[in-house]
Short mmCIF file of all heavy atoms in Angstrom, two decimals:
data_model
loop_
_atom_site.label_atom_id
_atom_site.label_comp_id
_atom_site.label_asym_id
_atom_site.label_seq_id
_atom_site.Cartn_x
_atom_site.Cartn_y
_atom_site.Cartn_z
N GLN A 254 305.22 159.61 117.75
CA GLN A 254 306.53 159.92 117.29
C GLN A 254 307.56 159.18 118.12
O GLN A 254 308.64 158.92 117.63
CB GLN A 254 306.81 161.46 117.37
CG GLN A 254 306.01 162.31 116.39
CD GLN A 254 306.19 163.78 116.63
OE1 GLN A 254 306.72 164.19 117.66
NE2 GLN A 254 305.72 164.60 115.72
N LYS A 256 307.37 156.18 119.37
CA LYS A 256 307.41 154.71 119.11
C LYS A 256 308.13 154.47 117.78
O LYS A 256 308.03 155.25 116.89
CB LYS A 256 305.98 154.19 119.03
CG LYS A 256 305.24 154.26 120.38
CD LYS A 256 303.85 153.70 120.23
CE LYS A 256 303.16 153.78 121.62
NZ LYS A 256 301.71 153.22 121.59
N PRO A 257 308.83 153.35 117.68
CA PRO A 257 309.59 153.08 116.51
C PRO A 257 308.73 152.66 115.32
O PRO A 257 307.66 152.06 115.50
CB PRO A 257 310.50 151.91 116.97
CG PRO A 257 309.75 151.17 117.98
CD PRO A 257 309.04 152.27 118.73
N LYS A 258 309.17 152.88 114.13
CA LYS A 258 308.48 152.37 113.00
C LYS A 258 309.14 151.06 112.68
O LYS A 258 310.24 150.72 113.15
CB LYS A 258 308.64 153.32 111.82
CG LYS A 258 308.16 154.79 112.04
CD LYS A 258 308.64 155.66 110.98
CE LYS A 258 308.26 157.15 111.25
NZ LYS A 258 308.86 158.08 110.29
N LYS A 260 311.00 148.41 110.11
CA LYS A 260 311.81 148.37 108.89
C LYS A 260 312.40 147.04 108.63
O LYS A 260 312.28 146.10 109.56
CB LYS A 260 312.80 149.43 108.96
CG LYS A 260 313.95 149.25 110.00
CD LYS A 260 314.90 150.43 109.99
CE LYS A 260 315.95 150.33 111.04
NZ LYS A 260 316.87 149.17 110.74
N LYS A 299 313.70 147.99 114.04
CA LYS A 299 313.00 149.15 114.62
C LYS A 299 313.69 150.38 114.06
O LYS A 299 314.91 150.51 114.10
CB LYS A 299 313.14 149.14 116.17
CG LYS A 299 312.32 147.87 116.78
CD LYS A 299 312.34 147.90 118.19
CE LYS A 299 311.49 146.71 118.78
NZ LYS A 299 311.30 146.80 120.21
N ASP A 300 312.85 151.34 113.62
CA ASP A 300 313.38 152.58 113.04
C ASP A 300 313.11 153.70 113.97
O ASP A 300 312.04 154.14 114.26
CB ASP A 300 312.54 152.81 111.78
CG ASP A 300 313.08 154.07 110.99
OD1 ASP A 300 314.03 154.75 111.56
OD2 ASP A 300 312.57 154.31 109.90
N TYR A 301 314.25 154.20 114.60
CA TYR A 301 314.15 155.30 115.58
C TYR A 301 314.73 156.59 114.91
O TYR A 301 315.13 157.53 115.64
CB TYR A 301 314.94 154.96 116.83
CG TYR A 301 314.13 154.04 117.80
CD1 TYR A 301 314.54 152.76 117.95
CD2 TYR A 301 313.04 154.59 118.50
CE1 TYR A 301 313.81 151.95 118.95
CE2 TYR A 301 312.38 153.80 119.39
CZ TYR A 301 312.71 152.44 119.62
OH TYR A 301 312.11 151.66 120.47
N SER A 302 314.79 156.63 113.65
CA SER A 302 315.35 157.85 112.98
C SER A 302 314.45 159.07 113.35
O SER A 302 313.19 159.00 113.52
CB SER A 302 315.23 157.72 111.44
OG SER A 302 313.94 157.40 110.97
N GLY A 303 315.09 160.18 113.64
CA GLY A 303 314.48 161.38 114.05
C GLY A 303 314.30 161.50 115.52
O GLY A 303 313.83 162.48 116.14
N GLN A 304 314.72 160.41 116.37
CA GLN A 304 314.63 160.49 117.78
C GLN A 304 316.04 160.48 118.38
O GLN A 304 316.92 159.91 117.81
CB GLN A 304 313.88 159.27 118.32
CG GLN A 304 312.39 159.25 117.89
CD GLN A 304 311.59 158.21 118.67
OE1 GLN A 304 311.72 158.10 119.90
NE2 GLN A 304 310.80 157.44 117.91
N THR A 305 316.14 161.20 119.50
CA THR A 305 317.43 161.25 120.20
C THR A 305 317.30 160.75 121.64
O THR A 305 316.48 161.17 122.37
CB THR A 305 317.93 162.67 120.29
OG1 THR A 305 318.17 163.18 118.94
CG2 THR A 305 319.30 162.82 120.98
N PHE A 327 323.74 150.88 118.27
CA PHE A 327 322.37 151.10 118.30
C PHE A 327 321.94 152.20 117.20
O PHE A 327 320.89 152.03 116.57
CB PHE A 327 321.93 151.59 119.70
CG PHE A 327 320.41 151.61 119.91
CD1 PHE A 327 319.71 150.45 120.25
CD2 PHE A 327 319.66 152.77 119.80
CE1 PHE A 327 318.35 150.48 120.46
CE2 PHE A 327 318.33 152.84 119.99
CZ PHE A 327 317.65 151.64 120.40
N GLU A 328 322.71 153.23 117.10
CA GLU A 328 322.53 154.25 116.03
C GLU A 328 322.56 153.59 114.59
O GLU A 328 321.85 153.81 113.72
CB GLU A 328 323.59 155.30 116.19
CG GLU A 328 323.40 156.34 117.34
CD GLU A 328 324.44 157.38 117.30
OE1 GLU A 328 325.60 157.21 116.79
OE2 GLU A 328 324.18 158.46 117.84
N ILE A 330 322.10 150.63 113.67
CA ILE A 330 321.18 149.57 113.26
C ILE A 330 319.65 150.11 113.37
O ILE A 330 318.77 149.52 112.80
CB ILE A 330 321.28 148.33 114.01
CG1 ILE A 330 320.92 148.34 115.46
CG2 ILE A 330 322.68 147.70 113.77
CD1 ILE A 330 321.00 147.07 116.20
N THR A 331 319.41 151.24 114.08
CA THR A 331 318.06 151.68 114.26
C THR A 331 317.83 153.09 113.61
O THR A 331 316.72 153.53 113.41
CB THR A 331 317.76 151.91 115.79
OG1 THR A 331 318.42 152.98 116.30
CG2 THR A 331 317.95 150.63 116.48
N GLY A 332 318.96 153.79 113.23
CA GLY A 332 318.76 155.10 112.66
C GLY A 332 318.54 156.24 113.67
O GLY A 332 318.54 157.38 113.29
N GLY A 333 318.42 155.83 114.94
CA GLY A 333 318.26 156.91 115.93
C GLY A 333 319.53 157.53 116.33
O GLY A 333 320.59 157.04 115.97
N LYS A 334 319.50 158.58 117.06
CA LYS A 334 320.67 159.32 117.57
C LYS A 334 320.80 159.03 119.12
O LYS A 334 319.78 159.07 119.81
CB LYS A 334 320.64 160.80 117.30
CG LYS A 334 321.88 161.56 117.68
CD LYS A 334 321.82 163.05 117.40
CE LYS A 334 322.97 163.76 117.76
NZ LYS A 334 322.94 165.23 117.45
N MET A 626 312.37 153.59 123.41
CA MET A 626 313.69 153.57 122.87
C MET A 626 314.76 153.31 123.93
O MET A 626 315.76 152.63 123.68
CB MET A 626 313.97 154.95 122.20
CG MET A 626 315.26 155.12 121.40
SD MET A 626 315.38 156.77 120.72
CE MET A 626 316.86 156.60 119.72
#
Side-chain angles (χ1 to χ4, degrees):
Q254 289 174 349
K256 291 180 179 179
K258 303 170 188 174
K260 64 182 180 66
K299 298 185 177 186
D300 184 356
Y301 279 110
S302 56
Q304 296 191 44
T305 299
F327 192 82
E328 286 184 333
I330 68 175
T331 69
K334 184 177 180 182
M626 187 180 184

